[in-house]
Structure formats: C-alpha cells, structure tokens
C-alpha cells in the first residue's frame, strides 16, 4: 500500500508536490480551503484548516501530515500529535515560522545573526526604539504576514498607531500583545538558504541564492547567488543547518537572509515548507525542493541537491494576462523560448498575484535570465 501524505492547504505549493509524489509512488491527498484551488487535482477534502474536527477527519486517513502554508493553529497541530498522528514539521518547530517574535527570541538563544529587534506594546516603546536606531525601523505584525503584508517602514511611532489600536482590541481576546520592531538593515541584496532535514536527522543543503523583491513580493531568483564568495556560501549554509537542527525542522526549510553593506549575513524570516526561493530547483537541481520535501517528511533518504547547470534563474509571473487567457500565451512563449520551463498555478489573473513562474538553467547567467524574463513577459 502506498504511503499516504496529507497536505493541509490547496495552493500552488501543494499543486507542485503532485508530480513528484506520483514519481515517488506516494498517495498525495490535499485538504483544500475551497473548491477550484491550485491543488484541486489532489484535493480529497475541502474544509477549514482552523477547525480541529475537519483536520482530524482528514488526518486520520493519511500516514503523515505536512503543509502548503504555516497557518494551522497550534492547538489543532498539538491535538493531532497527542493523538499519535505524524505531523512534519511538528508544532514545536512550526511555532517559530508562525510567530516572528517567538522566532526572534529563539534565534537569539541559538546565537544566530539577526537584526537588532524588540517587542513593542505601545507607541512610546516604539518611539524609544526609533530614537536608539537613527529614527527609522521596520515594524511587523508577528503573525500572518506574507508577501510584504504586515510589514511597514516607520520613521515616527505614530506611523504604526493604527496597528497598536488593532493590537489592543485583539489582545483582549487572548491574541498577542506586542508588535515586532527591527532595525532597518542597510543591505546590498537579499539571499535565501534552503536546507532539507528528515526525522532521522539527515540534512542536505541547496546553494545559497539571490532573491529580488518587488513591492514585497519575490520577483526573481538567481542560483547560485552571483558573486557569492566561498565564505558567504559557507556562512549561509551554516546558518541554515544550525536553524534546522536547533528548531527541529523536518521537511524543507527556507531561511531568508540579508547581505549587509558591511559584509554581514543576517536572518530575515523563515519558512518551513517549499518556498518561492527554491522554485528554480524544479528544473535546475538534481532533486527539486518539492520532491525533497516529500522525501524528508516521509523519512526517505534525501536526494542530491546539486545544480544541474552552472546557473539557474526563476522569474515569477505576477498578475497574469490583462486580456485573454493563459492558454492564449503558451504557444508564443514556448515558440520563442523553447529552453524555458513554464509552470502555472491554475489561478485567475489578478494584479500582483503569483500565478506562475518560469525556470531556465544553463551555462551563462545573462542568457538564462534573459530567456526566463522573455518567456514570463508573454503572460503579462
């Protein structure tokens, strides 16, 4: 009988696990949030991932539970674990991806390099942090933010007064009582380090990559990070492995990093699942991140994470066609750029929305970037 893997969340990450699951002989099942989602081909249940009874009913028919996102409540996850269900990554690890304040505190305990930060509960505490950090900082909501949401650069504490008002209302119902404030890091570029870890402890690392953000959304990824020194690659890999081990992660871990203008590497955020920064690996690595995640959570031997070519580029398709359909654009894109691998998510076009991506691998960085951008441009 095939090993049954249950994925909570029906988005594009679950969708991209389907093909490698078939290749590995796994029975992939998805709990989708609604009908017609990206991973509908594997959706065996539709329901609210925040409802214990819904998740329990889904989980009882699989051998291991994993995730398309990190938003399943801790009380639901811990109830599953208490009932003997394999949850990977487990709640003890996922809490650090769910709450940025909890993450910052734990990374400080591990001695991992990160921006200066503080938990602030009111305007006065935020203003004190601003005064100590040159009059500017980044404020984040500890929970729920992604793709630039829940992040705000402030130069006056009043710039976050509305968030403190919301915080006060939510804290009365038992929610968190503080915002996260971080120094505004002067960085030359953003990087990402991916590590896979299985329950038995085996780990493999992917090359550190450069990520390019536009309007808070990852737009492009270059692998490996151009111009990365051996020291940078070694430090980034060490940080990724230290976090994976220290937090007890199982599955894929993505560590988003800043490379500062004074040559430091600082941790920005974490994701405990396949991640946008690793999409290049589908076509550019011996073992892509989606196959690797499935191997890891089922405790199969991990695959070779080496690149297949000197360079790979990933360009996101953001928004989608303003007129016509995706289908209208494939012929021209494929004809003009036959080296491009085009991945779409089955989503309707919407400004700023991630609706697909293009991967290209080859021996010349400029060539692969040009081809990927040119193919993605057909879907604007």
């Amino acid at each position: 009988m095939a090993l049954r893997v249950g994925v909570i969340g029906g988005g594009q990450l679950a969708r991209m696990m389907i093909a490698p699951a078939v290749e590995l002989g796994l029975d992939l099942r998805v709990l989708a949030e609604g009908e017609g989602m990206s991973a509908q081909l594997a959706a065996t249940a539709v329901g609210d991932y925040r409802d214990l009874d819904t998740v329990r009913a889904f989980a009882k028919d699989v051998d291991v539970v994993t995730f398309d996102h990190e938003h399943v409540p801790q009380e639901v996850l811990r109830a599953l674990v208490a009932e003997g269900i394999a949850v990977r990554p487990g709640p003890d690890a996922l809490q650090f991806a769910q709450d940025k304040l909890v993450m910052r505190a734990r990374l400080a305990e591990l001695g991992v390099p990160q921006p200066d930060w503080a938990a602030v509960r009111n305007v006065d505490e935020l203003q004190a942090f601003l005064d100590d950090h040159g009059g500017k900082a980044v404020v984040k909501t500890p929970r729920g933010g992604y793709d630039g949401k829940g992040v705000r650069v402030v130069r006056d504490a009043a710039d976050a007064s509305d968030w403190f008002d919301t915080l006060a209302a939510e804290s009365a119902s038992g929610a968190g009582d503080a915002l996260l404030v971080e120094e505004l890091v002067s960085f030359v570029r953003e990087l990402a380090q991916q590590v896979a870890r299985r329950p038995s402890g085996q780990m493999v690392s992917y090359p550190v990559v450069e990520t390019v953000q536009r309007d808070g959304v990852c737009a492009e990824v270059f692998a490996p990070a151009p111009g990365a020194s051996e020291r940078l690659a070694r430090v980034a890999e060490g940080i990724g492995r230290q976090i994976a081990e220290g937090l007890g992660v199982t599955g894929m871990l993505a560590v988003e990093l800043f490379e500062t203008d004074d040559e430091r590497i600082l941790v920005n955020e974490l994701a405990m699942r396949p991640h946008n920064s690793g999409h290049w690996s589908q076509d550019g690595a011996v073992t892509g991140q989606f196959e690797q995640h499935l191997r890891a959570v089922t405790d199969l031997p991990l695959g070779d994470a080496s690149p297949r070519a000197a360079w790979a580029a990933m360009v996101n398709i953001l928004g989608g066609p303003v007129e016509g359909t995706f289908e209208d654009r494939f012929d021209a894109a494929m004809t003009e750029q036959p080296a491009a691998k085009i991945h779409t998510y089955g989503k309707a076009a919407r400004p700023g929305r991630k609706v697909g991506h293009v991967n290209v691998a080859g021996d010349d960085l400029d060539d692969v970037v040009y081809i990927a951008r040119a193919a993605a441009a057909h879907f604007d």
Side-chain angles (χ1 to χ4, degrees), residues 8 67 72-82 87 89-91 94 98:
I8 298 180
F67 308 95
V72 182
Q74 279 284 312
E75 56 269 25
V76 172
L77 299 175
R78 293 190 183 278
L80 297 184
V81 171
V87 178
L94 271 171
Q98 292 177 328

Side-chain angles (χ1 to χ4, degrees), residues 308-324:
R308 291 183 176 275
W311 299 102
M314 188 284 302
V315 174
N316 265 324
I317 301 171
L318 300 173
V322 175
E323 297 180 354

Side-chain angles (χ1 to χ4, degrees), residues 18 63 105 124 127 136 139 182 226 272 292 308 314 338 377:
I18 296 172
D63 297 299
D124 290 340
Q127 190 60 54
K136 52 189 176 181
V139 177
E182 299 173 353
M272 297 180 190
Q292 197 78 278
R308 291 183 176 275
M314 188 284 302

Side-chain angles (χ1 to χ4, degrees), residues 5-87:
V5 178
V7 182
I8 298 180
Q12 64 260 27
L13 302 181
R15 176 190 182 97
M16 287 182 276
M17 293 184 207
I18 296 172
V22 171
E23 293 165 356
L24 291 171
L26 302 173
D27 179 1
L28 191 78
R29 305 181 181 188
V30 171
L31 171 60
E33 295 90 329
E35 300 289 348
M37 294 195 66
S38 292
Q40 61 182 322
L41 285 173
T44 56
V46 174
D48 187 351
Y49 60 80
R50 298 165 296 187
D51 178 70
L52 176 57
D53 290 338
T54 298
V55 176
R56 180 189 281 127
F58 173 72
K60 71 180 178 61
D61 289 328
V62 300
D63 297 299
V64 60
V65 171
T66 191
F67 308 95
D68 170 87
H69 56 71
E70 291 105 342
H71 306 313
V72 182
Q74 279 284 312
E75 56 269 25
V76 172
L77 299 175
R78 293 190 183 278
L80 297 184
V81 171
E83 294 168 14
I85 295 166
V87 178

